[in-house]
């Protein structure tokens, strides 16, 4: 169960640099490619001729050519040409609204007429020379909401990421959760603590002492369908914490775009945006590798949790205060999904 | 859906040279082995004692011995002996009509009383010293008819095999398809073109210039249940094409025996028979390797096409002129299968 | 179908030396670990907070800590603590009666109130300095009763283990099978034969000539739910066989604990206990390696037999005299399972 009328991250720009990319998004098998003038396109990954996957084909003169018998598919799902054939009567493929923005390809798997590019989540740090971004992609066998839960309850850092970003003080400070418009925000501020290894590295990387007390913050922002952006950072203690001036802190934004593949699998685009030393590409690489290692620690937990839940459908899970972020996110999703279903029912009735 | 009352290639002679071979053919689990006097035998791969696979056993004195507790199985499916046991009352295994011919083991998975060895597809080039044959075996996860379609529409060469046997002129000449008795024939003749890399190699191998215009032909012959033999070749242009005298051409027969394992998987026996330099074993090897490489390019396409079709059962596929060979082959198969089913219904009624 | 009110071997002591162990036993997902004072504990492998597998956690101060968000689970299935939470109202996990004995961890997957440690199978050779034990564990995809059948009919040694313990004389001597109380015993005594390779090695290892005639015995004892202990040995011929004085023989006990994982998969704990040269650890290792190699020869047979049986549910298997041990064992199991089911029905009715 996921919203269909929403912009999801489908892939990164480099994934379609050379060849078409076949990827299932929200149970739809889609091929992504660069069409005319390099503009990105997305159509059903199914050749109307004999059902071959179009993603095994290639792009020629801005058009997608089926790699089996040469059918030429248009960006709108209509067949453009095929050697020796009249193609006017060929059945149409679905095409999907798709936009390239911030280095990501965004797709709208639902009703195309509702796809307004203005609804794409705004990333104020992207396309901004003061910021740098690095990230990666994991394919995980779990419901996308388990990953939302994971990111909206960072007490798991103490256990899953004990050697990098975890510390017992996370457990000791209760988070505060609220809903603001279309956003669920859960935040935690820890004062006068010692930074864990990852943040000591970041302090040093930013030219700051790493052996003094700091204030640490985590501000998780969920927005539908499944984006979680987390402001994280530490400041030397006593300078205002989150609000401390730049010269006293190291901070960044953890970026999580969680795209359902099926009901129990996801494409997880993770990364980190930072506004210090944005030109330092070696630092970008080093942070990406560190973050990739940390995030990979979650994979086995999430996949085994998913299997446990499938095997025990009768067990209700607890909703503690630490779970409030995930719980509110699920409520917001339920309302959106119910709205989509009733709109669909209305549509069918008329 | 496949004919059961038909001779299928089960394996090659060398596959049963040392040990029994367990192979599923048309959904029947069968063990093939050499019995008395080396004569090939085929029985259910199931020991009547405790259900062990007989194919894990061995052949002793021309009899198949179960590798679990020593039951000795006869070629007719009747247990011959078992240490310390009277075996007269043991239940019978199915046995299957089986013949060795042309280096292949042929099996009849249907009604044994109808199995006439004279019905085995005649290969005029086999057992003929003027011809040489080399081939291989692929296990592919697709309906056998997708492979028939593939071989009866060679426009795919232009796309799947672009670097070896493909060329745009294939797309430009429409094929002609006809049914002759129990055979579907689809053919294409291309005149005054340059040969693609594979055929240049063949011309050179045959002592002919490879940098002059040629006439090229492809004559695909489908015969039930699922054999496709394709006459292919090139002749220096202007000497009569397919009918050119031997000294002006390089030609061969592509051999395809497609044996269903299940409804969505096949054993694909492919090869090439040629009537030039038949004694040159190095050439046989080199052609087999080249052909194996070319044919392996089809595997991923066929398997992904199969998955696409299973996921989209509601989509009707197109039947273009280039598909006529496959379409006619499917019609012939449908008639045969319907005939088998009505014969079976009659049999049950009486 | 397996008894649930019974002690099964869940793991060996060394498997829980460092970390908790998650293992499915009789379709129950259980985590095993050492709690207070090193005492073994077993609870459902499911965190009541969010369904994470507790087996991915760790033990701290004798308590199992969930590796996701730090819930502390008690040995009785009640949550003990969780950072920042009141846990009194948390739902209880199942806990399982569990005992450590003879180097094995024994679990009772059924009704806990019936779990009497006195019912654990007594191993007279364990914890006895005159004896040494070595063994291993295989995970096999078959019904546990197929492994019981295997061990209660040793004619398979002639075929599966031809190069080590098999010999044609096994086939030539019919076994004698009887039921004694809660035990099924099937035995075979072969007189005045030459020992097969494995036993020649054992004779030499025990300082005895290996090139003279011996008497050989196999006494298989099945006891529910699925233990098979087999007295095996050879004595120089004419000294009384099984009853020969120690200086004329080499003998040991083959130990088999077969624990169902699911209806079609098992954890197979195999080993050998011997009462000669018990301090010789190199000999223990060498015997374990030899036995492991021999027993691994059964794996493919059992797994393919299982697949054959699942594919042919309509075929009744034979019950020959050599199968009597397995047949009697199955009857005993059927009575036990029927008893459990009627007790459960009575319980529900009142």
């Amino acid at each position: 169960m996921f919203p269909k009328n929403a912009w999801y991250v489908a892939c990164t720009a480099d994934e379609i640099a050379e060849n078409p990319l076949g990827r299932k998004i929200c149970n739809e098998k889609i091929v992504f490619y660069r069409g005319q003038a390099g503009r990105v396109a997305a159509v059903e990954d199914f050749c109307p001729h004999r059902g071959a996957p179009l993603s095994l084909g290639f792009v020629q003169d801005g058009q997608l050519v089926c790699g089996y018998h040469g059918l030429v598919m248009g960006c709108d799902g209509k067949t453009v040409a095929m050697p020796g054939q009249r193609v006017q009567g060929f059945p149409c493929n679905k095409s999907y609204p798709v936009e390239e923005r911030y280095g990501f390809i965004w797709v709208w798997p639902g009703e195309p007429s509702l796809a307004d590019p203005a609804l794409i989540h705004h990333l104020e740090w992207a396309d901004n020379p003061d910021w740098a971004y690095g990230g990666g992609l994991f394919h995980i066998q779990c419901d996308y909401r388990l990953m939302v839960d994971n990111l909206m309850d960072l007490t798991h850092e103490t256990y899953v990421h004990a050697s990098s970003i975890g510390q017992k003080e996370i457990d000791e400070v209760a988070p505060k959760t609220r809903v603001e418009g279309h956003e669920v925000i859960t935040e935690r501020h820890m004062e006068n603590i010692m930074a864990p290894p990852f943040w000591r590295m970041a302090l040093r990387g930013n030219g700051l002492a790493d052996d003094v007390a700091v204030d640490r913050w985590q501000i998780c922002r969920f927005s539908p369908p499944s984006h979680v952006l987390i402001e994280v950072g530490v400041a030397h203690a006593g300078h205002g914490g989150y609000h401390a001036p730049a010269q006293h802190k190291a901070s960044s934004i953890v970026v999580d775009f969680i795209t359902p593949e099926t009901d129990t699998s996801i494409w997880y685009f993770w990364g980190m945006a930072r506004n210090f030393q944005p030109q330092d590409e070696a630092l970008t690489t080093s942070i990406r590798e560190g973050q990739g290692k940390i995030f990979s620690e979650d994979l086995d937990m999430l996949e085994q949790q998913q299997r446990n839940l499938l095997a025990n459908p009768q067990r209700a899970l607890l909703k503690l205060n630490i779970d409030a972020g995930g719980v509110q996110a699920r409520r917001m999703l339920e309302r959106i999904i119910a709205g989509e279903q009733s709109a669909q029912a209305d549509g069918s009735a008329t």
Side-chain angles (χ1 to χ4, degrees), chain A residues 74-321:
Chain A
C75 298
D76 54 358
K78 284 189 196 143
T79 300
V80 170
M82 186 170 170
Q85 307 296 334
R86 292 201 199 119
V87 302
Q88 291 86 334
F90 281 23
C92 252
N93 263 20
K94 264 185 171 178
S95 71
Y96 299 87
V98 63
E99 293 288 329
E100 181 166 10
R101 193 173 296 178
Y102 311 131
F104 297 106
I105 311 304
W106 303 75
V107 69
W108 180 278
E111 169 52 40
S113 65
L114 304 175
D116 179 357
L119 296 174
I120 290 177
H121 195 88
H122 179 60
L123 303 178
E124 62 281 2
W125 45 265
D127 303 330
N128 180 335
D130 293 341
W131 289 73
Y133 178 80
L137 168 61
F138 289 157
H139 187 210
I140 311 179
Q141 300 298 318
C142 74
D143 185 310
Y144 74 111
R145 291 168 296 191
L146 294 187
M147 182 53 99
V148 172
D149 292 342
N150 175 287
L151 294 161
M152 294 296 280
D153 173 14
L154 297 182
T155 64
H156 81 271
E157 293 184 356
T158 309
Y159 302 93
V160 181
H161 313 304
S163 65
S164 54
I165 52 175
Q167 60 182 155
K168 69 177 171 23
E169 290 88 348
I170 298 176
D171 273 348
E172 292 165 0
V173 177
K176 291 192 182 148
T177 303
R178 67 188 191 279
V179 175
E180 272 186 12
H182 292 296
E183 209 172 53
V184 179
I185 303 165
T186 187
E187 60 186 302
R188 175 184 284 109
H189 295 266
M190 295 157 275
E191 295 184 356
N192 214 34
I193 62 171
M194 295 306 294
F198 180 88
W199 284 113
R200 293 191 187 200
M201 182 198 73
L203 285 166
R204 290 192 305 272
N206 211 12
L208 290 165
D210 69 342
D211 56 353
V212 297
V214 297
D215 299 330
R216 179 180 178 188
W217 60 91
Q218 303 170 320
I219 306 172
C220 310
R221 299 172 189 277
F222 165 86
S223 57
S226 49
H227 311 326
V228 181
L229 290 109
I230 313 180
E231 291 184 80
V232 291
V234 294
H236 281 173
H239 289 281
Y242 175 67
H243 299 288
Q247 72 268 30
H248 295 299
K249 69 185 178 189
S251 67
S252 56
I253 300 174
V254 176
V255 177
D256 308 282
F257 298 118
I258 307 158
T259 302
E261 178 190 46
T262 67
D263 290 344
T264 55
S265 60
I266 59 173
W267 303 104
Y268 174 39
F269 298 88
W270 53 265
M272 188 171 277
R274 72 178 192 282
N275 64 351
F276 56 91
Q277 304 179 35
Q279 269 73 46
D280 186 343
E281 291 187 13
L283 183 61
T284 303
T285 298
S286 140
I287 289 176
R288 182 176 54 234
E289 285 173 1
Q291 192 188 9
K293 207 170 153 185
I294 292 172
F295 281 25
S296 71
E297 294 171 338
D298 290 294
L299 300 189
D300 196 28
M301 183 64 79
L302 286 161
E303 297 194 339
Q304 288 208 39
Q305 182 191 16
Q306 177 68 63
R307 287 202 291 274
N308 251 357
L309 295 178
L310 288 173
N312 292 276
Q314 81 295 352
R315 285 193 71 149
L317 303 189
L318 299 180
K319 295 173 182 175
L320 308 177
N321 63 332

